Amino acid sequence: NAGVMQNPRHLVRRRGQEARLRCSPMKGHSHVYWYRQLPEEGLKFMVYLQKENIIDESGMPKERFSAEFPKEGPSILRIQQVVRGDSAAYFCASSPRQGRTGELFFGEGSRLTVL
Amino acid sequence: GDSVTQMEGPVTLSEEAFLTINCTYTATGYPSLFWYVQYPGEGLQLLLKATKADDKGSNKGFEATYRKETTSFHLEKGSVQVSDSAVYFCALISTGNQFYFGTGTSLTVIP
């Protein structure tokens, strides 16, 4: 029973390139969350998606960042024209259902380094 | 809006010492509360949770009690081990199905 799978685990990009981070939720989970963790800082919420829908993107920068969770396939977090400040660990988490008792299951993260 | 505030670290303890990491929250309604742990280079793992007032979550010797009157969910362990060295996050889930995390508290246990 695989957990939340994220890839790549490590990604190096030069300024101006695009970064694509993938997240496959646990089997049967239809809710996906993306968080960013900067060095020595906590987790910052970015976006919450259900299949084919963005539910809450209030934590995501308005420019250069986008996210999707298609009917088939993984959730994708896309960062266009990366800058050094985008260097961080990006964590995906999934949940099987709505409701206040639901817990999040985290992937091991994708670590983006922008040169 | 909803939020979580937890004590800042880093915290350094000797093995077998008593641990307390404070966490308080602000929320409308009745959130569920969680403690997550992050070991170096890994993602977060659920440590324990409580879904209503006066509930006590416990796991691996860690405990936390949901105190509605003080809006707190402090994490405690009676005797820490070197293997408990990690970053601990307090979190809540709001009525809008949104999770809010504290900034994390780094714990180092020395032999």
Side-chain angles (χ1 to χ4, degrees), chain A residues 21-80:
Chain A
L21 309 177
R22 295 174 203 79
C23 169
S24 295
M26 286 183 70
K27 188 176 181 180
H29 288 195
S30 58
H31 301 256
V32 166
Y33 300 75
W34 284 93
Y35 291 85
R36 178 163 62 179
Q37 186 177 36
L38 292 166
E40 308 303 321
E41 294 188 18
L43 284 174
K44 185 177 184 300
F45 165 76
M46 299 184 73
V47 62
Y48 163 36
L49 311 104
Q50 293 180 31
K51 282 285 187 182
E52 300 186 273
N53 290 303
I54 296 174
I55 306 302
D56 182 351
E57 56 182 348
S58 59
M60 203 148 69
K62 294 287 187 287
E63 297 178 355
R64 301 189 298 109
F65 285 73
S66 62
E68 62 177 12
F69 188 17
K71 187 176 180 181
E72 301 292 337
S75 176
I76 306 283
L77 179 67
R78 182 181 177 207
I79 312 172
Q80 294 177 289

Side-chain angles (χ1 to χ4, degrees), chain A residues 5-24:
Chain A
M5 303 300 291
Q6 289 189 249
N7 69 83
R9 290 292 308 276
H10 300 275
L11 181 64
V12 179
R13 286 286 179 267
R14 296 190 181 280
R15 279 180 296 170
Q17 291 184 319
E18 178 180 288
R20 281 189 182 228
L21 309 177
R22 295 174 203 79
C23 169
S24 295

Side-chain angles (χ1 to χ4, degrees), chain A residues 9 31 33 35 37 40-43 45 47-48 50 55-56 58 91 95 97-109 111, chain B residues 30-34 36 38 40-46 49 51-52 66 87 89 93-104:
Chain A
R9 290 292 308 276
H31 301 256
Y33 300 75
Y35 291 85
Q37 186 177 36
E40 308 303 321
E41 294 188 18
L43 284 174
F45 165 76
V47 62
Y48 163 36
Q50 293 180 31
I55 306 302
D56 182 351
S58 59
F91 289 95
S95 177
R97 60 187 179 276
Q98 285 182 303
R100 46 187 297 282
T101 61
E103 68 179 78
L104 289 180
F105 295 82
F106 281 82
E108 294 191 329
R111 284 155 180 82
Chain B
Y30 302 96
S32 291
L33 302 174
F34 306 84
Y36 282 83
Q38 184 181 30
E42 299 183 11
L44 279 70
Q45 305 171 26
L46 179 67
K49 69 178 182 181
T51 59
K52 61 183 188 297
Y66 187 162
V87 181
F89 292 89
I93 181 172
S94 70
T95 51
N97 212 45
Q98 182 51 273
F99 282 83
Y100 295 89
F101 286 85
T103 52

Side-chain angles (χ1 to χ4, degrees), chain B residues 21-68:
Chain B
I21 301 178
N22 290 339
C23 171
T24 57
Y25 67 90
T26 301
T28 53
Y30 302 96
S32 291
L33 302 174
F34 306 84
W35 277 101
Y36 282 83
V37 59
Q38 184 181 30
Y39 298 102
E42 299 183 11
L44 279 70
Q45 305 171 26
L46 179 67
L47 180 60
L48 53 83
K49 69 178 182 181
T51 59
K52 61 183 188 297
D54 300 325
D55 267 3
K56 177 186 283 189
S58 60
N59 185 26
K60 300 181 181 179
F62 290 89
E63 293 183 339
T65 301
Y66 187 162
R67 302 278 188 208
K68 186 166 176 286

